[in-house]
Amino acid sequence: MTGKSNSFFSRRAFLAGLMASTGVPALAEAPKVSLRPRMRDDARAQVSELASLLRGSRVTGDIVFAVADAETGNILEARNETSGIAPASVAKSITALYAQDILGPSHRFVTQVVAAGEITNGVLEGDLVLVGGCDPTLDTKALAKLALGLKEAGLREVRGRFLVFENALRPLRTIDPEQPDHLGYSPAVSGIALNYNRVHFQWKRGSGDYTVTMDARAAPYRPDVQMARMQIVDRSAPIFSYRDAGDHDQWTVAKKALGKEGARWLPVRRPGLYAGDVFATLARSNGIVLKAPELVEELPAGTVLSTVKSPELREILQGMLKYSNNLTAEMVGLAATRMYSGRAHTLAASARQMNLWAKEALGMQKPAFADHSGLGGASRVSAADMVRALAAAHDRALLRPILKPVTLRDKSGRPDKKHPVKVAAKTGTLNFVSGLAGYITAPDGREMVFAIFCADESIRATIPRAHRERPQGARPWANRARRLQRQLLERWGTIYSS
């Protein structure tokens, strides 16, 4: 799909061939008539031990996994490894590889302010345009730097409109429409994002009533916003409600759900107007008064007055994988597709482009990602495909160095940072879905790749949309799944080390 991927993933064809054969798939799905020689006694013991481990986990639903040698790609042990299953945030590891291949690890996103008109003696006779450049890390501090740049450029007055261009990416009101409206991890997506497209809601009860603030805080700044508004309503449920009020996001909150004081981040549904609202406040603090922000679909030509750049993509991706930020994943994935194709795509269309890339660059056979973050439950990937991808990326060191270490436990069940088996991986969690995929280093130095997915779709399908923030039973199920994952990692690090 792209010439650049040939240089990044030169081993993919070699590994794809190797992955077609298996080494010792102890619990892999087998034909009714065995095509392999009879197991040795030690192999039988391993199968029995694994079966006992799975039964003891009490994880309901599907359990699929595969572990392979990182150098050869040979599968060492597997179970239902070709079954497609929801990857949750494990999908972000593929997005990280996709973005680095298309954009380059050192790529920086640029946000600009452009003067569309002539400036005479510090007075702009045309429009001022805030231009989003797909930077998922843009915060209020960066906007303050942009605003200061206008003053340093000599701008004193703007007589035209104040415009915001967010169409570098196609605007989307929420990452996953199936999530409740108030959840901050499913905000809007567009070519501009401020504070991860979240607004800070804070309340405090005084003498009989509440004071409420909605702001875009990022120390040391704390500008109030007008495009997101909150009303306290005398009710018990629902706790939050949302309404699109045209020029602003209108929220209500149940009074009976509020204590004396508190705060939380709420998602922003109009990111262009949000960024424009905050930027106008910051510009005013530098003596430049702007009109109310308006969105513009086409970017006007003009002169760049002020610029801020993001950190390098590799650093952004490391933060994305560490904190599992959904907005970052969607923005970098969409930006990569835009770079490749030259135009903005819908989220589903961009994910299809990533699927095609993953087949070519990583040797995956049936990737079916529906987005770049894994937040939507429609994505499917097999454990075998994940280990193919991880093995293909192994020698390029594009992923493992930016994955989080996973701490295993000692015999007493306590976290052991000195555990002889070292793991770096990406976790993934949805309601009754738990995934983990990454790299293992055995005590003898052997490198392995693995993927483990657990999902109980029968329970997941019964959860109403309003209850998806904390459904009953989801946390203990996830704890059991994570315990099983650690046990499998400890097992593999032991039995596949010389």
Side-chain angles (χ1 to χ4, degrees), residues 43-58:
R44 290 180 184 277
Q46 288 181 18
V47 171
S48 176
E49 176 189 311
L50 178 58
S52 176
L53 189 154
L54 295 174
R55 284 195 304 271
S57 72
R58 297 185 295 114

Side-chain angles (χ1 to χ4, degrees), residues 8 29 36 45 50 134 156 163 180 234-235 248 250 289 310 329 352 387 393 442 451 459 464 492 497:
F8 267 31
E29 293 297 289
R36 301 184 180 91
L50 178 58
C134 311
R156 296 185 296 104
L163 306 175
D234 190 10
R235 65 169 187 249
H248 68 276
Q250 181 62 61
V289 178
S310 75
R352 287 194 293 270
V387 296
I459 298 179
W492 295 332
S497 178

Side-chain angles (χ1 to χ4, degrees), residues 27 70 123 176 270 279 284 296 318 335 368 390 433 457 469-470:
L27 223 84
V123 177
D176 179 19
R270 294 178 166 273
F279 184 78
R284 188 163 57 249
V296 59
Q318 185 169 23
L390 294 168
V433 173
E457 294 289 353
E469 185 172 12
R470 294 186 185 90

